Amino acid sequence: MAKAQFEVPELGEYVEVPALVEGTMAHSKPFTAKAEFQEPLGYPGELPEDWQEKAIGKMGDLLGKYRSFRVFLDSCVKCGACTDKCHYYLGTKDPKNMPVARQDLLRKVYRRYFTFAGKYFPKLVGATDLTREVLDDWYSYFHQCSQCRRCSVFCPYGIDTAEISMAAREIMDSIGVGQKYCNEIIGKVFRIGNNLGLPGPALADTLEGLEEDVLDETGVDVKYPLDEKGAEILVVTPSADFFAEPHVDGLIGYGKVFHEAGVSWTLSTTASEAANFGMFIGSYENMRRISMRVREAALELGVKRIVFGECGHAWRVAYSFLNTLAGPFDFLDPRYPVPQHILEFTYNEIRKGTLKLDKSQNDHMVLTYHDSCNVARASRMGSFPGGQFEIPRAVIKAVCNNFVDMDPETTHEKTFCCGGGGGLLTDDLMELRVKGALPRMTALKKTVEESGVTHMAAICAICKSQFTKVLPYYGLEMDQIVSVHQLVSNAIVLTGQKSGDEEED
Ligand code: SF4
Ligand code: SF4
């Protein structure tokens, strides 16, 4: 088991609602962004003298622009339905990690400056001035929300804490208090094209290596093209897919599916990243700038369709915002949705019978599936309601003989966050990440013990990276997390593929 500098919660049969321990995560704060990471995103490099005034001004801007933000701040009736629904509260016991308490950190300032009662009778309505202490609390606790939206499923008014935490981060950025991890990464996307800072030649090299590996293993010349003009499909995928385990096994699977489907496809150096961290910091402007690269790449390469790889929040941005931020995509083939998910593509091919699949290639595993928050609760997939739940499961069942779902209270729209979403996948927040993974780890361990589950599949790069890190803290193995297209890749029998005996020769 990994050695922790903090107490790792014990796994029980079910997650219990913990007794409150005031202030237990007050110390948890991500590194702040220096001026060099703030300024390229259009934010000040440090806290200005008149920061209170500027922050209140920014809050006023957001209230004017986003009706939902004001409605969420006005409509909470303190019913308590959300209090025990957040994985960070369940894992840390800190009462400020209850969704309603997190919202109140911002709501009390909103009331003070934007409501009649708060201006004249602040104590009566729990309104407070925006002080340095309040700002510090914002920085800490709005970086303990992975914007997973689980709490909103249980709120009778549909109040979305994720939107409140995005707004809080946008206000903080506007006064020079940004988070290093997200802002440095967004800068890298602008400068180099992807989160990992991989330049074009490094991508080309990696893809060439994949082609050689697949050829060696199968005897079939499957292509992993980059910047191929005139290809039918542009694939935009998280940069983790280019090299990290288990992500890259998924990318190998995409290539095999396209090969067997007989369609031409390409990756692009211009849009070599599906992730869009503009969403995590609540900045539509940065989200738009990042999204525009997808449009540029599609025009540059003359493709007819755009398909997104396995990435949760990228799919949310693509599905919910791409057309607004970077559209219209009227130059693409109107017969296909813009964008399309790689799972939809593979699902359709399976239904058409294009793919020859040998499920027994995955018989060494008993699979379960982790619904990623941004796919489950912030987008859809395919052409029917609930497609985001059914399509991944249908694909897994088409390529594996052994599948078991986890406790229904932790799957589909009630899924628990992996603990590392929303811009929190950084080592400076490891305690939060490990504790926040408690509900998912509890459900997983139960299926391991009761149903012999050996592996958990996911379709989100952040979930996969997070689980690789946190599984060992809970006595599980880091390689128990797999990509869904890794399973597809194992099962596909390519046309002309050499047999197992030939491989050994
Ligand atoms: S959005 Fe998710 S992380 Fe944020 S408060 Fe709600 S349940 Fe917790
Ligand atoms: S469930 Fe909704 S209305 Fe009830 S306390 Fe939470 S945010 Fe407020």
Side-chain angles (χ1 to χ4, degrees), residues 82 85-89 96-100 102-103 141 144-152 159-163 165 373 377 416-417 424:
C82 63
K85 302 303 184 294
C86 177
H87 51 293
Y88 290 124
Y89 165 62
K96 284 188 182 160
N97 276 329
M98 290 177 169
V100 58
R102 195 184 319 285
Q103 296 163 22
Y141 289 99
Q144 296 188 46
C145 170
S146 55
Q147 306 172 342
C148 77
R149 310 182 83 227
R150 187 171 196 268
C151 48
S152 72
I159 295 173
D160 185 357
T161 319
E163 275 205 35
S165 100
C373 308
R377 284 186 286 262
F416 272 107
C417 173
L424 308 181

Side-chain angles (χ1 to χ4, degrees), residues 232-235 253-265 304-310 315 336-337 339-355 357 381-383 387 391-392 395 485 488 492:
E232 183 170 346
I233 297 177
L234 166 66
V235 173
Y254 312 161
K256 288 185 182 176
V257 171
F258 290 128
H259 180 90
E260 284 303 296
V263 293
S264 60
W265 69 290
K304 298 194 182 80
R305 303 166 64 178
I306 299 174
V307 169
F308 271 71
E310 295 186 8
W315 180 240
Y336 301 99
Q340 209 174 16
H341 196 283
I342 184 69
L343 256 298
E344 278 176 84
F345 185 89
T346 301
Y347 174 74
N348 289 340
E349 293 306 314
I350 291 172
R351 283 167 57 97
K352 281 195 281 181
T354 326
L355 309 178
L357 300 165
M381 191 188 288
S383 54
I391 291 176
V395 170
H485 273 81
V488 175
I492 277 193

Side-chain angles (χ1 to χ4, degrees), residues 317-343:
V317 176
Y319 181 87
S320 308
F321 302 109
L322 191 68
N323 282 284
T324 314
L325 295 171
F329 286 95
D330 46 7
F331 55 92
L332 297 175
D333 188 334
R335 288 176 301 163
Y336 301 99
V338 182
Q340 209 174 16
H341 196 283
I342 184 69
L343 256 298

